[in-house]
Amino acid sequence: MNAIETYVDELAAELRGPARVKARMVQEIRDGLTDTVTARTDAGLPPEQAVQDAVREFGTPAEVAPSCQRELTVAQTRHTAFALLVTVPVLLGGWRLASTIGRDQSVPTSQTAQLLAAVAGTAAVVGCAVLVITRRLAVPGRLPLVLGWTGTAASIAMPLASIALATTLPPAENWPLLLLLAAGTVAAHFALAYSAKVCRECAAQVE
């Protein structure tokens, strides 16, 4: 059984993708190997021979990894697309509220914030399209990489847009809104930036 753990550890080290999906995939392979080895030892084979036969049947970690990675890459692509759809619209609502308050206080609208918000909004539209594509069609080879960089661009645009808006509003009058916007921006940035980074790494694995 130690040989099985070594096998799945080597396989897991080669894979990138959503942690839960990866853990479930590795567990299924571990269970399959264990059942195969148990069946062969019950049939009278020595444990070492049973493990060798099971690995020969399943394939080595290097042989199994590509097919597992393709599945994980699809899952990570969808995960990043969903992260875009969750984070960007919430911040767009916060930015819109801040802009409305700014106009009520005779604060000029930040053109920089509008441009950055447009970048983030476009990324969210791309994320929506990716969710539809990955549900109905095979994933194009470059799509995970494109979405990874799209998510990264949005994760950079979001804090910059929030900063651009925050610097236009009088802090003494708007500190609760600014604090809430800052907290939401930080949380959204890190969630999306990490997911986009893993998406790019998955894309590199399958190229």
Side-chain angles (χ1 to χ4, degrees):
M1 295 305 172
N2 288 336
I4 293 177
E5 291 304 315
T6 299
Y7 179 101
V8 295
D9 287 346
E10 289 179 3
L11 178 61
E14 295 190 34
L15 301 177
R16 293 289 291 162
R20 291 184 181 179
V21 179
K22 176 181 171 180
R24 183 171 64 248
M25 181 182 294
V26 171
Q27 185 60 47
E28 288 174 355
I29 292 173
R30 177 188 284 110
D31 292 343
L33 280 168
T34 301
D35 292 344
T36 302
V37 170
T38 300
R40 280 166 168 69
T41 53
D42 289 346
L45 280 179
E48 290 184 2
Q49 183 63 48
V51 170
Q52 290 176 4
D53 288 354
V55 171
R56 188 181 305 113
E57 180 179 322
F58 275 76
T60 65
E63 293 170 339
V64 173
S67 61
C68 293
Q69 186 59 62
R70 283 191 291 271
E71 183 177 341
L72 284 171
T73 298
V74 174
Q76 183 62 45
T77 300
R78 292 183 58 80
H79 186 278
T80 303
F82 185 74
L84 277 166
L85 289 182
V86 170
T87 58
V88 174
V90 172
L91 285 180
L92 285 175
W95 296 334
R96 183 175 181 82
L97 176 61
S99 296
T100 301
I101 292 175
R103 286 195 298 270
D104 291 343
Q105 297 174 347
S106 300
V107 175
T109 302
S110 170
Q111 299 299 317
T112 300
Q114 288 185 333
L115 177 60
L116 292 168
V119 171
T122 301
V125 173
V126 172
C128 182
V130 167
L131 282 177
V132 174
I133 291 171
T134 54
R135 179 176 292 275
R136 300 179 179 275
L137 302 171
V139 178
R142 291 288 179 177
L143 184 60
L145 183 62
V146 170
L147 184 67
W149 282 113
T150 300
T152 298
S155 73
I156 295 171
M158 290 191 299
L160 293 178
S162 294
I163 292 171
L165 276 172
T167 55
T168 64
L169 295 176
E173 299 177 34
N174 301 285
W175 68 264
L177 173 61
L178 294 176
L179 184 61
L180 183 62
L181 189 60
T185 300
V186 170
H189 167 77
F190 283 108
L192 181 56
Y194 178 76
S195 184
K197 175 178 176 290
V198 176
C199 193
R200 298 199 313 272
E201 292 173 349
C202 286
Q205 290 281 81
V206 297
E207 285 185 351

